[in-house]
């Protein structure tokens, strides 16, 4: 009697319809992930959920987290860790984790495949040999993960950077007559009617015609030209091919899995994001708060969503405190760092609640499960980023903050209306944008792709203008390895239709300002500049609440890569008491 019953049961199981795959429900500006049972969810995750250092790797000279010191085996470690995470409000195991260890834990899974190991997108992404390498990298990983319960999608990479100068240089290194090189030269032929037209924007090396460029040679930017905008168009083609290949390979080995993007490095390039939106189910980005109060640039998330037209997953956010039990000094990079654990708890709440309230965000992942080693991991990074310390002890205040924020956050409108007024700032706080009311001070962009923010505040001493924007490393675009003065970033400010105030940013004199006082600058890939314009410069008396100010701000990033503008009229708001 037993055997026929078992056979019938197995036959019934084999004939039962398969559960539908995970999917994205995206209606208007609101989006959710949906599991096979039809339940909507947001992937609240944690990165680096793994046992840490092995017994052999652990050393008292640089102690780090080691599950082997606290559990009898990895199975025991995974069971307790999963129980902890669920009790703290998390439902997802993020990147760099031991996903198979959580097979039966009832948690969602989002592995990262690191397809960069195949050379894509830097090597010719149209070369069939490169595509085969992508398959070789992806196949064993996906075969390992696809059977793990809760694996709903994959990240193709982490923090590729998408550095434009490098991608342009690599195009010039594609093999002669290869598919990528043919495509590159064809793109240039379509862009420029003649080689003479190309020479107006580029300075060639090793080629003197389209035909010779088909075999070898590279192109440098010509100073003063708009060649960087041609580069942008090419980068979008490379990105489109990258996302197309990654999507195809993921679907080959795990049909129905979601493609979750490649986790941008807390900055993005608009042309890359547009390409991602054509192929990814979700576009992902790590987000490093640019001020120690946990504030993100106002343009970032709305701009990412506007460009991708896809739901967003925030795949890393962070906060560290100088007061910590692991001995972390938090000084190897620039991540949001505060003095006390109580302040760190507040940073978690501020960031998590802002991200979770954004209706098109479908995942928020904390970095990371445990603190980094006392004196830094292999690359020197040494931050108190953990939910637990290196001795496996939870930071009780932090996990309580997580439990509360992840359970109670409510979604808001996709694009809350920015206040039309200009907020008051105390003179003593003027140079430090962290002390500004940045949400109110931020101006609405009126021209160009989202790449930065302009802020305006005021007091009796004048108007305070703050700028935050992202740029690429542009030096390799030029033959002599430096950005010429003609191609430095520029900011033009017109207030009350008065004479333009001009700033050039970069070069031998980092910020050169004509007609305003420079208060602060911080330059690199992420840039900040703060300046004050006095009332007499504008031919008016002391500023006062209720007055109207009209403004137009025009910016061009280095090499004229991205033109931006903000324009409007606003009332000076009274000081808050």
């Amino acid at each position: 009697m037993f055997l026929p019953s078992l056979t019938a049961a197995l036959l019934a199981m084999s004939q039962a319809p398969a559960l539908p795959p995970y999917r994205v429900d995206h209606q208007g500006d609101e989006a959710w992930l949906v599991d096979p049972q039809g339940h909507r969810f947001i992937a609240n995750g944690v990165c680096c959920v793994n046992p840490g250092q092995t017994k052999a790797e652990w050393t008292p000279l640089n102690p780090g987290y080691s599950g082997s010191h606290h559990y009898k085996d990895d199975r025991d470690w995974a069971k307790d860790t999963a129980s902890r995470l669920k009790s703290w409000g998390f439902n997802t195991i993020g990147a760099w984790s031991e996903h198979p260890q959580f097979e039966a834990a009832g948690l969602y899974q989002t592995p990262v495949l690191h397809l960069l190991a195949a050379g894509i997108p830097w090597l010719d992404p149209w070369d069939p040999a490169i595509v085969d390498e992508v398959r070789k990298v992806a196949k064993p990983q996906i075969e390992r993960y696809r059977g793990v319960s809760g694996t709903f999608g994959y990240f193709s990479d982490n923090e590729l950077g998408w550095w434009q100068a490098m991608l342009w240089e690599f195009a010039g290194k594609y093999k002669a007559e290869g598919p990528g090189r043919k495509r590159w030269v064809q793109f240039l032929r379509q862009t420029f009617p003649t080689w003479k037209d190309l020479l107006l924007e580029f300075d060639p090396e090793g080629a003197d015609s389209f035909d010779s460029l088909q075999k070898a040679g590279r192109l440098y930017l010509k100073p003063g030209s708009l060649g960087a905008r041609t580069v942008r168009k090419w980068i979008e083609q490379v990105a489109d091919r990258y996302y197309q290949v990654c999507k195809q390979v993921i679907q080959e080995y795990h049909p129905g899995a979601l493609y979750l993007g490649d986790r941008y490095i807390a900055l993005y390039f608009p042309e890359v994001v547009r390409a991602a939106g054509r192929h990814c189910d979700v576009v992902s980005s790590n987000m490093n708060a640019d001020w120690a109060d946990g504030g993100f640039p106002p343009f970032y998330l709305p701009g990412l969503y506007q460009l991708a037209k896809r739901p967003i997953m925030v795949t890393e956010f962070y906060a560290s405190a100088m007061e910590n039990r692991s001995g972390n000094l938090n000084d190897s990079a620039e991540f949001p760092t505060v003095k006390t654990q109580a302040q760190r708890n507040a940073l978690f709440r501020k960031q998590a609640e802002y991200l979770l309230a954004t209706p098109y965000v479908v995942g928020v992942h904390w970095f990371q499960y445990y603190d980094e080693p006392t004196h830094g991991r292999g690359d020197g990074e040494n931050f108190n980023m953990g939910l637990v310390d290196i001795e496996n002890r939870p930071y009780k205040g932090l996990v309580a903050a997580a439990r509360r924020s992840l359970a109670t956050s409510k979604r808001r409108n996709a694009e809350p209306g920015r206040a039309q007024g200009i907020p008051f700032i105390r003179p003593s706080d003027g140079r430090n944008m962290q002390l500004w009311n940045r949400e109110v001070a931020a101006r609405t962009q009126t021209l160009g792709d989202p790449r930065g923010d302009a802020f305006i505040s005021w007091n009796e001493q004048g108007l305070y203008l703050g700028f935050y924007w992202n740029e690429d490393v542009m030096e390799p675009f030029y033959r002599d390895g430096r950005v010429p003065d003609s191609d430095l970033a520029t900011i033009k400010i017109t207030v009350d239709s008065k004479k333009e105030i001009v700033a050039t940013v970069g070069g031998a004199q980092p910020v050169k300002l004509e007609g305003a006082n420079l208060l602060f600058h911080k330059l690199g890939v992420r840039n900040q500049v703060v300046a004050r314009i006095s009332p007499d410069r504008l031919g008016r008396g002391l500023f006062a609440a209720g007055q109207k100010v009209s403004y137009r701000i025009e910016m061009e990033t280095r090499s004229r890569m991205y033109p931006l503008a903000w324009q409007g009229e606003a009332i000076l708001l009274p000081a808050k008491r």
Side-chain angles (χ1 to χ4, degrees):
M1 295 293 292
F2 173 76
L3 186 57
S5 298
L6 178 60
T7 302
L10 291 173
L11 181 61
M13 290 174 61
S14 67
Q15 293 176 342
L19 287 173
Y22 289 86
R23 61 184 175 86
V24 176
D25 182 3
H26 186 193
Q27 299 180 22
D29 287 325
E30 187 168 346
W32 300 83
L33 297 167
V34 183
D35 70 15
Q37 289 75 34
H39 300 135
R40 299 194 306 181
F41 69 97
I42 295 175
N44 297 325
V46 180
C47 298
C48 300
V49 188
N50 58 61
Q53 298 174 347
T54 65
K55 285 185 178 179
E57 291 170 334
W58 190 91
T59 170
L61 298 177
N62 186 22
Y65 176 84
S66 177
S68 63
H69 285 193
H70 306 284
Y71 301 94
K72 62 183 180 182
D73 55 31
D74 284 353
R75 182 177 298 180
D76 186 36
W77 166 82
K79 181 179 179 181
D80 185 55
T81 300
S83 176
R84 282 177 161 186
L85 291 175
K86 287 189 284 189
S87 74
W88 298 339
F90 297 100
N91 62 10
T92 301
I93 304 296
W96 303 293
S97 298
E98 286 295 323
H99 298 279
Q101 295 286 349
F102 297 97
E103 156 65 23
L107 291 162
Y108 302 114
Q109 309 268 356
T110 56
V112 57
L113 299 174
H114 302 291
L115 300 183
L116 172 63
I120 195 169
W122 310 107
L123 303 183
D124 180 354
W126 290 274
D127 187 337
I130 298 299
V131 178
D132 286 343
E133 285 299 314
V134 174
R135 289 192 175 93
K136 289 178 185 178
V137 172
K139 183 179 179 181
Q141 296 185 84
I142 296 177
E143 288 180 343
R144 181 184 181 210
Y145 296 137
R146 71 185 178 195
V148 175
S149 176
T151 300
F152 66 84
Y154 300 90
F155 305 112
S156 53
D157 273 297
N158 176 69
E159 296 189 345
L160 287 175
W162 290 102
W163 307 116
Q164 296 160 314
M166 287 181 61
L167 287 164
W168 186 252
E169 180 181 351
F170 270 85
K173 294 179 179 179
Y174 291 167
K175 65 183 178 183
E177 305 292 347
R181 194 166 196 97
K182 287 181 179 179
R183 182 175 289 267
W184 183 49
V185 175
Q186 181 186 23
F187 160 77
L188 292 169
R189 286 182 185 272
Q190 292 171 344
T191 304
F192 301 103
T194 68
W195 182 255
K196 186 177 180 180
D197 292 306
L198 179 144
L199 296 180
L200 297 175
E201 294 192 2
F202 293 100
D203 177 13
E205 179 181 81
D208 57 9
S209 67
F210 289 119
D211 289 341
S212 62
L213 188 62
Q214 187 69 70
K215 298 178 176 60
R218 62 174 296 185
L219 300 175
Y220 293 101
L221 284 183
K222 178 161 286 188
S225 76
L226 294 176
R229 299 184 193 179
T230 297
V231 172
R232 289 184 60 185
K233 295 176 183 177
W234 170 251
I235 299 303
E236 185 163 349
Q237 291 197 25
V238 174
D240 191 88
R241 177 61 176 169
Y242 166 86
Y243 291 115
Q244 179 190 43
V245 169
C246 293
K247 174 79 169 182
Q248 175 185 328
V249 169
I250 288 170
Q251 288 302 305
E252 282 180 18
Y253 300 120
H254 191 162
L258 299 178
Y259 180 18
L260 306 175
D262 59 307
R263 303 165 57 98
Y264 298 137
I265 189 172
L267 65 87
Y268 58 77
F269 296 98
E271 51 278 359
V272 174
V273 179
R274 287 193 183 93
R278 291 194 284 270
H279 300 282
C280 299
D281 300 289
V282 171
V283 171
S284 58
S285 180
N286 301 339
M287 285 186 68
N288 179 21
D290 282 273
W291 293 277
D293 63 358
F296 300 110
F299 86 92
Y300 197 93
L301 268 184
L304 189 59
Y305 177 64
Q306 169 192 327
L307 291 161
K309 298 180 174 58
R310 295 283 186 175
I312 306 301
M313 187 174 288
V314 176
T315 39
E316 290 182 14
F317 71 107
Y318 339 68
S320 301
M322 297 307 297
E323 171 197 42
N324 64 80
R325 298 192 299 258
S326 299
N328 298 124
L329 294 179
N330 308 311
D331 62 358
S332 63
E334 292 188 5
F335 295 113
T337 302
V338 290
K339 291 182 180 180
T340 69
Q341 285 297 319
Q343 291 171 321
R344 186 163 85 115
N345 304 340
L347 278 192
F348 181 101
R349 290 196 301 270
K350 178 175 182 175
Q351 294 179 91
E353 291 171 10
Y354 165 75
L355 297 172
L356 290 167
T358 305
Y360 46 79
V361 168
V362 295
V364 177
H365 293 190
W366 172 257
F367 189 92
Q368 58 180 13
Y369 180 60
Y370 48 77
D371 282 344
E372 294 178 328
T374 299
H375 304 299
R377 61 188 194 185
D379 63 357
E381 192 173 287
N382 60 350
F383 281 82
N384 157 235
M385 293 173 167
L387 298 168
V388 305
D389 63 22
I390 60 174
E391 293 299 330
N392 199 38
R393 297 169 296 186
Y395 288 100
K396 293 182 179 179
L398 183 62
V399 299
R403 187 183 295 116
R404 188 179 79 180
S405 296
L406 299 178
T408 62
S409 292
K410 296 181 180 179
R411 291 188 155 184
R412 54 170 167 75
N413 292 332
E415 192 68 70
R418 289 184 178 173
Q420 296 301 305
I422 294 174
F424 181 87
I425 183 76
R426 295 184 302 177
S428 58
D429 297 340
R431 71 180 306 273
N432 185 354
M433 284 177 59
Q434 181 168 309
L435 303 175
W436 291 30
N437 185 344
R438 294 188 302 275
E439 286 190 9
V440 178
R443 301 295 95 190
T444 300
Q445 188 174 328
T446 55
L447 173 72
D449 287 329
R451 195 69 178 144
D453 283 303
F455 306 85
I456 306 179
S457 293
W458 78 279
N459 58 47
E460 290 84 353
Q461 296 181 9
L463 284 184
Y464 291 70
L465 293 104
F467 302 94
Y468 172 96
W469 75 98
N470 293 157
E471 285 193 308
D472 197 358
V473 178
M474 303 298 290
E475 285 78 4
F477 273 120
Y478 297 90
R479 186 183 288 274
D480 63 359
R482 71 175 189 87
V483 179
D485 290 349
S486 63
D487 289 4
L488 297 176
T490 60
I491 304 170
K492 296 180 180 179
I493 306 161
T494 305
V495 178
D496 294 342
S497 301
K498 302 295 182 182
K499 184 179 177 182
E500 284 184 344
I501 294 161
V502 180
T504 55
V505 182
Q509 185 174 340
V511 181
K512 183 179 179 182
L513 217 57
E514 298 174 11
N517 298 317
L518 177 66
L519 302 181
F520 174 81
H521 71 276
K522 177 182 175 184
L523 305 181
V525 173
R526 300 178 182 90
N527 301 273
Q528 291 186 48
V529 171
V530 180
R532 183 182 70 240
I533 306 174
S534 62
D536 60 336
R537 167 72 188 184
L538 301 171
R540 58 193 295 172
L542 294 179
F543 287 113
Q547 294 178 354
K548 283 187 177 180
V549 171
S550 64
Y551 60 88
R552 177 169 176 79
I553 301 166
E554 300 168 274
M555 171 183 283
E556 283 191 323
T557 65
R558 291 195 296 173
S559 308
R560 299 172 181 80
M561 181 73 84
Y562 297 97
L564 312 172
W566 300 262
Q567 183 173 0
E569 184 178 67
I571 294 174
L572 304 182
L573 299 175
K576 289 186 176 181
R577 300 191 182 279

